[in-house]
Amino acid sequence: MFLQERRQQILAWLNQHESITVNWLAHTLDVTKETVRSDLNALAQQGLVQRCHGGALIVRRNMQAPLISEMSESFDVLLQRMKNPRTQRPTRYKGEKMAGKVCILGSFNVDIVAKVARFPKGGESLMALGSTLGPGGKGANQAMAASHAGAIVHFVSKVGTDQFSQFAFDHLSASDIHSFKLYQTDEEPTGSAIIYVSQEDGENMIAIYSGANKTITDAEIAELTPELAQSDVLLVQLENNISATLNVLKLAQTLGVRVIMNPAPFSRDVLSCMNFIDIHTPNETEASLLSGIEITDLASAKDAALAIVQLGAQCVIITMGSQGALLYDQRQFQHISAFPALSVDTTGAGDAFNGALAAALADGQSIAQAATYASAFASLAVEREGASNMPDREQVLTRLAQRRI
């Protein structure tokens, strides 16, 4: 077994059992205790495990500086070895795998929001009526949603070495997210979004700088293997560098993990990913751009869904705000009606829907059932202020029950 494979296997066992002994590892892997200690020390240096007397403990939440060693082989070679049936790789352990697990590769941004009476003119300075600084990024928001929706979530993202990196770590540590890894880079700052909200008409202006989110490496994706191998669903968006997104999709396909792609913010790069995705979840705008068909109603949404399937999609769910969602699975269309809601903040509605959809699918629900659950979850999310402020599973079940009455 290759060194990297052995360490991935150790992480997979630790992920299941929380702690593990040197003696057990040496016997199971048929290597010396010195080799095991070397492996555990290397994993501890990377912040993945905590050494203890006679063994190690898994570290569920960590922020890793660039200690990761460069891969000794290309990512494609790693995938090829994993496809080889003679090669041992992380596997799903029947009866031991945690049910309902979602893995999310995505962005973390710091949202800086300023409320202004009106938008400033060129060269003009305005006094803001108020401002807030909070967590954001589609990946982080969707991880929060999936956690609140009842899934066991592992979230992977990348931040800078600036003051906002600690803000990201503290926010995620205080959340219900089961485990996460934040990689760090000193090449780019933590991603950020500058948002002006006009009090005249409620319109907003947003400038996003992806920063560290666009610097995820092949080696960092390869390290995701043990967590992804134990997951039911992978959820991704388009706020990371496309090379990282494409590699994690290939990895998920190799491991037999179901993939949801939320193609936001829209980029033509999504076309290179179509053959690795099980479920596409564009909103009206993204579906229009992807299909070339302007969506104005349910009929045009059906035309757009058919066009997206022709591009290689297996299943499409087009979210349409107050009009609900349209599901097309290559066999039939199904309209998922929206749940009535008293909207306060619709900023994170799409993230709420996608996170809840992933959680419901990981729980074993059908696509139609999961889309209905996600619609109810999103209807509760828009009644809260803040894109990362998500409802709980019990509230969703209550809203679902109310519709049945």
Side-chain angles (χ1 to χ4, degrees), residues 281-314:
T281 61
N283 63 18
E284 294 168 278
T285 301
E286 293 147 6
S288 296
L289 291 169
L290 183 58
S291 66
I293 298 171
E294 184 179 358
I295 297 176
T296 57
D297 53 20
L298 198 58
S300 55
K302 289 182 178 180
D303 291 337
L306 288 169
I308 293 171
V309 165
Q310 290 178 351
L311 293 173
Q314 299 298 311

Side-chain angles (χ1 to χ4, degrees), residues 166-187:
Q166 188 62 46
F167 174 80
F169 181 82
D170 292 343
H171 166 68
L172 295 171
S173 295
S175 74
D176 291 331
I177 295 172
H178 179 258
S179 60
F180 67 81
K181 178 178 288 187
L182 287 178
Y183 290 103
Q184 286 187 285
T185 177
D186 56 8
E187 297 178 358

Side-chain angles (χ1 to χ4, degrees), residues 206-372:
I206 305 175
I208 298 175
Y209 185 68
S210 296
N213 292 307
K214 294 284 191 179
T215 66
I216 296 177
T217 67
D218 288 358
E220 289 160 353
I221 294 298
E223 279 206 331
L224 185 55
T225 302
E227 292 287 351
L228 188 55
Q230 298 299 313
S231 298
D232 300 281
V233 174
L234 169 69
L235 174 59
V236 295
Q237 325 78 35
L238 292 174
E239 287 192 329
N240 300 113
N241 46 310
I242 192 62
S243 59
T245 301
L246 190 56
N247 277 341
V248 79
L249 294 180
K250 292 177 180 178
L251 186 59
Q253 186 180 77
T254 301
L255 293 169
V257 178
R258 200 174 199 175
V259 174
I260 301 174
M261 162 68 83
N262 176 218
F266 180 76
S267 166
R268 302 301 295 182
D269 286 336
V270 72
L271 293 174
S272 65
C273 303
M274 301 296 281
N275 293 331
F276 303 99
I277 301 167
D278 296 298
I279 303 171
H280 288 256
T281 61
N283 63 18
E284 294 168 278
T285 301
E286 293 147 6
S288 296
L289 291 169
L290 183 58
S291 66
I293 298 171
E294 184 179 358
I295 297 176
T296 57
D297 53 20
L298 198 58
S300 55
K302 289 182 178 180
D303 291 337
L306 288 169
I308 293 171
V309 165
Q310 290 178 351
L311 293 173
Q314 299 298 311
C315 177
V316 180
I317 302 175
I318 301 177
T319 56
M320 305 173 65
S322 61
Q323 296 184 69
L326 177 68
L327 165 64
Y328 180 56
D329 61 1
Q330 295 194 2
R331 295 188 305 274
Q332 62 180 357
F333 290 102
Q334 185 165 342
H335 179 228
I336 310 297
S337 58
F339 286 74
L342 299 173
S343 295
V344 173
D345 185 353
T346 62
T347 306
D351 294 336
F353 183 93
N354 279 278
L357 177 72
L361 288 171
D363 192 44
Q365 295 184 31
S366 69
I367 294 179
Q369 290 172 328
T372 302

Side-chain angles (χ1 to χ4, degrees), residues 198-213:
S198 170
Q199 302 305 289
E200 281 184 334
D201 51 15
E203 290 295 320
N204 57 57
M205 296 173 61
I206 305 175
I208 298 175
Y209 185 68
S210 296
N213 292 307

